[in-house]
């Protein structure tokens, strides 16, 4: 059969097509189980996509964490693991890569991001101190609270509006921050917690102008500024694309300049840094480093391995360099955008502008008839799995957890279902299948009912909570 109007996707969008800057050398077969089997698997998992077996999933968009494909160079690096208990040569490679690309002076490896969050929170927060941040991240805020800190959100208001087209919805509202500092006094502020691309806001970036002014404000009051660098490379892409003066600046230079305004950073290397496991903490203050280097021995392992094998450190050092390639970042964000633009063109409600690592479906607008206490975003994740074996995750009321002061749910303005795209893993054909599944679930939205929570764990409940259909 001939096509009436044969056009590539690029031609349909009125541009030349582009392709990923890599080719596939090894494949992992995928399998789709039947709809009846998916219905059974979903009920057994308590309608929580975190409790599904990965063998029962067809396209896995649960997370971009630790799910990237490593390159041939990274795999070759794994064979160069120096598994000495102390002073592994791979640690020094990692230290060099970090100093070179992120620019911090001192480095502590950790097993993953939350290991680093734990150490920095324990070292820097005194009980009863405040931690203002640009929205929150689940594990970050929990470690801040467990260390006795009180988190407060100082992101700009636009971040809470899924339709706002503000180009830097991750920015800190400096007025809100200054009001907290003045109200509490600078000595009651543990540090400002800044994330590069804000995950919970839809992968939204922070501008260079904002971090520059933030640095000046922190200096005025003598407050420290630490960065969650987990997706800072992706943040740099948006600065290059949207901020005046950066169009010709390489990603690596943007990352380095941005980090230069901060006192240190923690990292889940499972994202930007293209490894399946790993994290790090890096600071400029030698005294703080001494303390972190001491703490890491208690919780993670010696300061030259931090809970990782030498081979993991090597893969991370190579991954850091690869992650800074402009071609890589452009293709990575280009793929996310491809999916997002299809959905927007079909008028399916998603967070705008399209962010760096994921498409966030706006479950409030998707299911206006399901009240927030009936978990609309969790429901949407369940329906997507049922329709096409696609695994996504909830980023709404279940993820937000409970207010430790009142015991009631936090009621976040954003009630989102996240389709997270692993780096270098899926093709455009997979994105087409995903888009069509979202459309099918959207078309059936009026017949869909919400969920009730029937089991709630104490910490980070979204990982293990169980639900039933209403
Ligand atoms: C922004 C952000 N910070 C921190 C973390 C925690 O990192 P990890 O999952 O490696 O412990 C994650 C990922 O879950 C994240 O997305």
């Amino acid at each position: 059969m001939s096509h009436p109007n044969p056009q590539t996707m690029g031609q349909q969008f009125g541009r030349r097509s582009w392709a990923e800057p890599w080719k596939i050398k090894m494949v992992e077969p995928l399998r789709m189980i039947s709809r009846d089997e998916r219905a059974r698997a979903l009920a057994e998992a308590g309608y929580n996509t975190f409790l599904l077996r990965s063998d029962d999933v067809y396209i896995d968009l649960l997370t971009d964490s630790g799910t990237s494909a490593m390159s041939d160079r990274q795999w070759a690096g794994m064979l160069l693991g120096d598994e000495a208990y102390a002073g592994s040569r791979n640690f020094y490679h990692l230290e060099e890569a970090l100093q070179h690309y992120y620019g911090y002076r001192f480095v502590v490896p950790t097993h993953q991001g939350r290991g680093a969050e734990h150490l920095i929170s324990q070292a820097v927060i005194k009980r009863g101190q405040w931690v203002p941040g640009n929205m929150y991240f689940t594990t970050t805020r929990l470690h801040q609270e467990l260390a006795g800190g009180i988190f407060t959100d100082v992101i700009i208001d636009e971040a809470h509006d899924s339709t706002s087209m503000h180009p830097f919805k991750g920015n800190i509202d400096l007025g809100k921050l200054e009001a907290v500092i003045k109200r509490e006094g600078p000595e009651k502020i543990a540090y400002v917690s800044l994330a590069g691309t804000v995950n919970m806001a839809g992968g939204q970036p922070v501008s260079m102008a904002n971090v520059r002014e933030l640095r000046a404000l922190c200096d005025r009051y003598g407050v420290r500024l630490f960065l969650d660098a987990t997706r800072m490379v992706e943040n740099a892409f948006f600065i290059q694309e949207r901020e005046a003066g950066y169009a010709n600046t390489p990603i690596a230079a943007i990352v380095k300049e941005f980090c230069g305004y901060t006192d240190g950073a923690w990292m889940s290397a499972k994202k930007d840094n293209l490894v399946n496991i790993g994290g790090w903490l890096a600071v400029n203050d030698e005294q703080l480093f001494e303390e972190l280097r001491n703490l890491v021995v208690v919780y993670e392992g010696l300061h030259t391995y931090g809970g990782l094998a030498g081979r993991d450190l090597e893969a991370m050092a190579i991954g850091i360099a690869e992650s800074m390639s402009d071609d890589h970042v452009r293709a990575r964000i280009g793929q996310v955008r491809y999916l997002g633009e299809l959905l927007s063109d079909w008028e399916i409600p998603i967070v705008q502008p399209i962010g760096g690592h994921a498409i966030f479906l706006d479950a409030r607008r998707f299911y206006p008839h399901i009240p927030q206490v009936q978990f609309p975003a969790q429901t949407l994740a369940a329906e997507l799995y049922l329709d096409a074996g696609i695994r996504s995750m909830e980023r709404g009321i279940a993820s937000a957890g409970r207010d430790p002061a009142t015991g009631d749910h936090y009621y976040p303005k954003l009630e989102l279902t996240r389709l997270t795209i692993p780096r270098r893993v899926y093709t455009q054909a997979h994105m087409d299948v995903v888009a069509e599944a979202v459309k099918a679930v959207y078309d059936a939205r009026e017949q869909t009912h919400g969920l009730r929570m029937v089991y709630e764990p104490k910490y980070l409940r979204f990982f293990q909570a169980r639900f039933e259909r209403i």
Side-chain angles (χ1 to χ4, degrees):
M1 191 185 90
S2 70
H3 302 284
N5 182 18
Q7 281 197 318
T8 66
M9 283 313 301
Q11 288 166 338
Q12 289 180 43
F13 284 104
R15 54 167 166 74
R16 285 293 286 266
S17 291
W18 56 270
E20 289 79 4
W22 39 258
K23 56 185 176 175
I24 297 167
K25 165 138 60 179
M26 191 187 283
V27 297
E28 177 182 339
L30 293 178
R31 183 178 73 106
M32 165 96 101
I33 58 175
S34 70
R35 190 179 172 98
D36 283 350
E37 287 170 316
R38 293 200 295 278
R40 210 173 310 126
L42 190 60
E44 275 171 18
Y47 295 87
N48 185 346
T49 50
F50 278 102
L51 301 179
L52 289 167
R53 287 171 183 243
S54 114
D55 276 348
D56 293 337
V57 172
Y58 175 45
I59 297 177
D60 201 347
L61 306 185
L62 182 72
T63 174
D64 62 332
S65 183
T67 53
S68 301
M70 292 210 296
S71 67
D72 51 359
R73 292 187 64 248
Q74 284 177 293
W75 279 108
M78 297 283 281
L79 291 178
L80 301 176
D82 168 7
E83 305 306 343
Y85 187 89
S88 156
R89 86 175 72 87
N90 312 115
F91 166 74
Y92 298 103
H93 293 168
L94 173 68
E95 190 182 49
E96 266 169 45
L98 262 161
Q99 288 167 342
H100 178 73
Y101 286 104
Y102 290 87
Y104 299 113
R105 291 176 66 202
F106 304 109
V107 175
V108 177
T110 60
H111 79 283
Q112 61 181 83
R114 69 199 72 181
E117 290 168 343
H118 175 218
L119 300 183
I120 190 112
S121 302
Q122 293 295 330
V124 177
I125 300 172
K126 292 197 200 81
R127 197 150 286 282
Q129 278 188 322
W130 290 75
V131 189
N134 54 345
M135 210 170 261
Y136 77 102
F137 184 70
T138 51
T139 57
T140 316
R141 185 179 67 192
L142 181 61
H143 279 297
Q144 290 162 347
E145 287 173 350
L146 289 172
I150 309 162
F151 176 81
T152 184
D153 181 13
V154 292
I155 202 165
I156 58 171
D157 288 341
E158 287 86 342
H160 295 281
D161 173 1
S162 67
T163 61
S164 161
M165 290 304 283
H166 191 294
F168 290 103
K169 281 166 90 174
N171 279 356
I172 284 195
D173 182 326
L174 300 171
K176 281 189 201 168
L177 173 61
E178 190 161 19
V180 176
I181 300 175
K182 281 189 173 154
R183 189 187 71 213
E184 301 299 328
E187 65 294 340
K188 287 285 300 278
I189 309 296
Y191 59 91
V192 174
S193 179
L194 177 72
T197 80
V198 179
N199 190 352
M200 305 299 279
Q204 303 295 331
V206 178
S207 71
M208 194 70 89
N210 190 245
V211 72
R212 210 179 285 130
E213 289 173 39
L214 182 59
R215 176 76 262 169
L217 180 70
C218 287
D219 284 347
R220 252 195 329 277
Y221 290 97
V223 170
R224 281 188 284 195
L225 172 58
F226 291 111
L227 174 70
D228 181 338
T230 297
R231 297 186 185 83
M232 189 55 228
V233 172
E234 291 169 5
N235 196 113
F237 173 85
F238 292 109
I239 291 176
Q240 190 186 59
E241 183 182 63
R242 298 179 186 164
E243 198 160 353
Y246 289 94
N248 298 315
T249 312
I251 293 290
I254 296 173
V255 169
K256 200 153 178 185
E257 180 185 339
F258 194 103
C259 292
Y261 296 116
T262 66
D263 296 303
W266 64 88
M267 178 76 179
S268 170
K270 300 167 72 175
K271 281 82 164 178
D272 269 358
N273 290 170
L274 299 165
V275 285
N276 303 126
I277 191 72
W280 47 261
L281 192 52
V283 296
N284 290 329
D285 175 9
E286 193 160 8
Q287 211 178 329
L288 174 59
F289 168 62
E290 283 300 324
E291 197 173 336
L292 294 167
R293 194 162 78 145
N294 194 201
L295 267 183
V296 75
V297 185
V298 183
Y299 294 108
E300 303 275 317
L302 194 71
H303 58 275
T304 55
Y305 76 84
L308 296 166
R311 54 182 172 270
D312 299 325
L313 299 170
E314 189 64 29
M316 194 156 43
I318 297 168
I320 288 172
E322 290 182 359
S323 75
M324 300 284 169
S325 142
D326 286 57
D327 283 348
H328 158 70
V329 191
R330 199 173 306 117
R332 189 276 184 288
I333 294 180
Q335 185 178 47
V336 175
R337 253 178 211 175
Y338 171 76
L339 173 60
E341 282 169 1
L342 275 180
L343 298 178
S344 312
D345 287 349
W346 297 340
E347 296 183 355
I348 292 172
I350 65 169
V351 174
Q352 298 284 1
I354 296 162
H357 65 298
I359 298 303
F360 290 74
L361 303 170
D362 184 345
R364 276 183 195 275
R365 287 187 286 142
F366 205 103
Y367 291 137
H369 58 290
I370 302 182
Q372 193 169 24
V373 285
Q374 293 180 8
F375 305 97
Q378 188 79 34
T379 304
L380 179 47
E383 292 300 319
L384 270 174
Y385 173 72
L386 192 59
D387 182 83
I390 291 161
R391 173 152 69 171
S392 56
M393 83 149 84
E394 194 260 14
R395 278 295 177 229
I397 187 169
S399 293
R402 290 185 187 271
D403 183 337
T406 66
D408 193 7
H409 300 292
Y410 282 115
Y411 293 93
K413 286 207 183 106
L414 295 177
E415 179 68 28
L416 310 174
T417 304
R418 189 179 81 175
L419 299 163
T420 338
I421 316 298
R423 296 164 185 80
R424 311 193 290 204
V425 171
Y426 291 114
T427 66
Q428 188 160 310
H430 291 110
M431 296 302 111
D432 288 339
V433 169
V434 172
E436 288 171 21
V438 175
K439 175 88 169 59
V441 171
Y442 189 60
D443 290 343
R445 64 193 178 281
E446 282 164 19
Q447 290 84 55
T448 307
H449 302 286
L451 297 169
R452 85 169 65 85
M453 200 190 306
V454 292
Y455 166 67
E456 179 174 358
K458 187 164 162 207
Y459 299 116
L460 302 173
R461 63 183 185 179
F462 60 96
F463 281 130
Q464 291 154 333
R466 301 184 69 84
F467 303 83
E468 275 174 7
R469 277 194 195 284
I470 290 178

